[in-house]
Every structure is written in structure tokens, then in C-alpha cells.
Amino acid sequence: MSASPVLLLRHQRPFVAFWFARVFTASGFQMLTVAIGWHLYQLTGNVLDLGLVGLVEFAPRVLFMLHTGHVADRYDRRRVAALCQTLQGLIALGLAVGSATDNVSRELIFLLAFLLGATRSFEMPATQALLPNLVPAALFPRAVAASASATQSATIVAPAIGGFLYAFGSLWVYGPTVALYAIACLLTLSLKVRPQVMQAGRASLDSLLAGVRFIRSRPDVLGAISLDLFAVLLGGATALLPVFAKDILFTGPMGLGLLRSAPAVGALLMSLWLARFPFERKVGRTMFTAVGVFGVATIAFGLSTSFWFSLAVLVVLGAADMISMVIRSAFVQLQTPDEMRGRVSAVNGLFIGASNQLGEFESGLTAHWFGTVPAVVLGGAGTLLVTGLWIKLFPTLARRDRLHQPPVA
């Protein structure tokens, strides 16, 4: 079969519905993120609140981490993901009603951000563990890249649309988001997948912790997941984009939407390339190099005062992040047996959430302490430091040549 993502979609029919479901649910989330960030900054004008939103969204990942993976391994993953998409649509509906009645407050945004983080905590492991049941193992790395292209396509278009619509009022963003989640839910329920290996027995602390023990017993898996955690935790600057758009680059909500979309442009182009030409050799060195480029691009963005140069740097940043993500995701899923993929994905989701939502809090806090530009520059330097340290701590991962390995029983 051709490696082209178009042919992958054509010949793997269940993947078509999955791909479009990812487009719609990612579009809904991205539009919500842009609207919530701008809405909150308009209400309070406090940069620390932008970081607190990330912390509030991240908290459910910690509170429910052990349970989210267990749910994904014990119940139908399609139904779990569809239910989460429905709940996210209801959150968008709540914001739409609040905007229509002019009753959106700082406290309401934080409450709904917590609920949004909770639903995504359950959706992520269910969705990640579902993908290996849609395509053969030989095509899985390409499927990861093609799936990522769906998410990145939405991330390119949706923030720009969200920023454009917000110029007419927040209700114009929250309303269409409800429809996007409804479509994603219907597509997810329509998926036809291979039988899922269900976890046997009742829930227990031992079964809930099985994903943690599995990752600890595989140093390369632990190194790959933790590298993303600390690199993006320090180098992520997305929470501060409203500040850059308004106070440094002097653009409005439409400019903010373009800034949010720029990393996804690079990520989409790279995901299409990787779906056609997946990495087969020197995957460890490639992953570490990509994380290093991510750190350099972060520093360049922090120092930029040109809107167009900032967009270009964010494109490079997104492309580098996509290389690391595809290698890491395919590697972790292929090394995990099906009956444990939910729990391992839950732990992986915690690390991803920590790098994103907790990273937003870290960005907001350091910007509050040191200023916006120094916070971003220091974060990029921290990413480079982590990259070098992880090469020393996980030498077998850095020297890893091939991605494909038989799953460990």
C-alpha cells in the first residue's frame, strides 16, 4: 500500500471517520481555546490568569489519571470518546448561553475550563488506544502522522476562524463550536474497529497502576515520554500569545488567531511529509534534534518584534514538535499490548497535559515574575538544557536506530 496519507484514508475506510472526527473535535477545542483566552484577558487584563487557566485545565489529568486509563481499557473506547465529545459540546453551549445573557465571569471561565480538562482527560487515552485497532501495525506510524495531520489541519484553520468570529462577539465562536462537537460525536460512534482486548477483572489499585509500572520498566519509553514533558513544559509559550498579540506585536484577535495557527502550519506540512516518508533509521537522534530545534525556535520567537518573523518562527517550531510527537507516539503505542494501551496512554496523556496545560501556568507565572519576553527566552534555553541532559540519562534512546519493535507481552 502506498504511504500517501490520501491512499491511507482511501484504503482504510474506518480511518476516514476517525480522521474527520479528529478534525471536528480538534477544531472545537482550538476555537474554544482562542475564545477563552481572549475573553479572559479582556475581562481581567491579568497575564497570570492566562497561566491559571492552563493549571485549571491540567488539574483533572492528575486527579483522574489512574481512572481514565482504566476506563479506556475496560469499556468501549468509541463510546467513551463520543461521550467526552458530547460533554465538551455542552461546555461550549454553556459559554454560548453565558455570552448571550452577558453572564460570563472569571469564575465561570475557570469552572468550565476545569470541566473541559476533565472531559479531555478521559477522551485522550480512549482515542489514542483506539487508533491501533483501526489500521494494521505495519501502517501504524503512517497512521499516526496522518491522524496528526487532521489535528494540525484543524489547528491551522480553527484558531484563525475563531479569532475572526470573535471580532463579531464571543457568541459567534461558542455557538459553532457546539455543532463541531456534535458532528465529532456522531462520527466516532460510527467507527467499525477490530475487537478490543478488554481488561479482565474488577478495578483495583494494582490494575490502575499497571500503566505506571509498565512505563517504569521500559527506560526508552520513559525517556521518550518524559522528554516531551520537560521540554515543552519549559519551552511552551502558547499561553502568552494574547500578550504578544496585544502588547508586543500590536495586533488584535485576528492576529492572535494567526499566531495560534502558525505552529500548526509547520506541523501539518511535516505530518504530511512523515505520512509519505516515515523515519525508519536513527529515530532517537532525529527525535532529540527536533526537540533542540524546538528550543531554538522558542528563543527566536521570544526575541522577535516582527509579526511576520514571529509567524515564520512558529511554523518551524510546529514542524520540529511534529517530528518528535510522531516518533514518540508510534514508539510508545507499538511497544504496548492492546489490553494496556488505555492505561499507558493515560500516563502519556498526563505527561502531555503537564507539558501543555502546566506549561501554560509556568509561562504565565514566569512572565508575571520576570516579564513576558524573558520568560519565553528562559523557557527555550531550558528546553535545550533538558535535551542535552536526557541524551546523557537515556543513552539507548538517543542511539535508537529503528522505530519498529514487536509489542512486549
Side-chain angles (χ1 to χ4, degrees), residues 83-153:
L83 176 60
C84 293
Q85 291 157 1
T86 300
L87 293 175
Q88 290 171 67
L90 292 176
I91 291 170
L93 180 62
L95 285 166
V97 172
S99 295
T101 59
D102 197 24
N103 284 320
V104 176
S105 64
R106 175 178 180 270
E107 292 72 21
L108 178 63
I109 289 179
F110 282 138
L111 173 62
L112 294 181
F114 178 86
L115 297 176
L116 182 64
T119 56
R120 285 178 59 80
S121 296
F122 282 89
E123 181 189 14
M124 180 176 291
T127 302
Q128 289 182 345
L130 185 63
L131 183 56
N133 296 114
L134 288 172
V135 296
L139 286 177
F140 186 69
R142 296 186 178 107
V144 171
S147 176
S149 72
T151 304
Q152 299 305 325
S153 297

Side-chain angles (χ1 to χ4, degrees), residues 227-253:
L227 174 65
D228 176 76
L229 165 65
F230 290 103
V232 181
L233 173 65
L234 296 173
T238 55
L240 301 178
L241 288 182
V243 183
F244 275 91
K246 185 175 184 293
D247 300 331
I248 297 176
L249 301 176
F250 304 106
T251 183

Side-chain angles (χ1 to χ4, degrees), residues 98-380:
S99 295
T101 59
D102 197 24
N103 284 320
V104 176
S105 64
R106 175 178 180 270
E107 292 72 21
L108 178 63
I109 289 179
F110 282 138
L111 173 62
L112 294 181
F114 178 86
L115 297 176
L116 182 64
T119 56
R120 285 178 59 80
S121 296
F122 282 89
E123 181 189 14
M124 180 176 291
T127 302
Q128 289 182 345
L130 185 63
L131 183 56
N133 296 114
L134 288 172
V135 296
L139 286 177
F140 186 69
R142 296 186 178 107
V144 171
S147 176
S149 72
T151 304
Q152 299 305 325
S153 297
T155 308
I156 293 171
V157 177
I161 293 177
F164 175 77
L165 292 177
Y166 199 97
F168 299 96
S170 58
L171 181 62
W172 287 82
V173 183
Y174 297 134
T177 303
V178 178
L180 292 174
Y181 279 120
I183 297 172
C185 175
L186 294 175
L187 288 172
T188 301
L189 289 175
S190 72
L191 293 177
K192 298 184 183 299
V193 299
R194 294 192 300 274
Q196 175 182 336
V197 180
M198 298 288 189
Q199 176 195 354
R202 300 180 60 183
S204 65
L205 182 61
D206 183 70
S207 66
L208 294 175
L209 292 174
V212 177
R213 291 197 303 271
F214 180 87
I215 292 175
R216 287 184 58 188
S217 67
R218 290 359 183 235
D220 284 1
V221 174
L222 175 61
I225 294 176
S226 59
L227 174 65
D228 176 76
L229 165 65
F230 290 103
V232 181
L233 173 65
L234 296 173
T238 55
L240 301 178
L241 288 182
V243 183
F244 275 91
K246 185 175 184 293
D247 300 331
I248 297 176
L249 301 176
F250 304 106
T251 183
M254 291 184 64
L256 172 62
L258 292 174
L259 289 172
R260 295 280 310 200
S261 299
V265 172
L268 174 62
L269 295 175
M270 183 56 66
S271 66
L272 294 175
W273 175 268
L274 294 178
R276 181 66 179 88
F277 302 103
F279 290 110
E280 297 291 346
R281 305 297 298 271
K282 299 180 179 178
V283 294
R285 180 186 303 177
T286 302
M287 182 176 67
F288 278 102
T289 301
V291 176
V293 172
F294 179 90
V296 172
T298 300
I299 295 174
F301 173 75
L303 296 174
S304 172
T305 56
S306 165
F307 177 72
W308 296 109
F309 180 75
S310 295
L311 286 178
V313 170
L314 289 175
V315 169
V316 174
L317 182 149
D321 189 44
M322 177 55 58
I323 294 174
S324 172
M325 189 279 290
V326 169
I327 293 176
R328 183 185 67 256
S329 297
F331 171 62
V332 171
Q333 291 290 338
L334 289 174
Q335 294 302 300
T336 306
D338 185 49
E339 65 272 14
M340 289 192 63
R341 283 194 175 117
R343 284 164 289 175
V344 171
S345 295
V347 179
N348 188 27
L350 175 66
F351 279 66
I352 294 173
S355 63
N356 292 319
Q357 277 75 46
L358 196 58
E360 291 179 4
F361 174 70
E362 179 272 337
S363 297
L365 187 61
T366 54
H368 180 71
W369 286 344
F370 307 116
T372 302
V373 171
V376 174
V377 173
L378 287 173

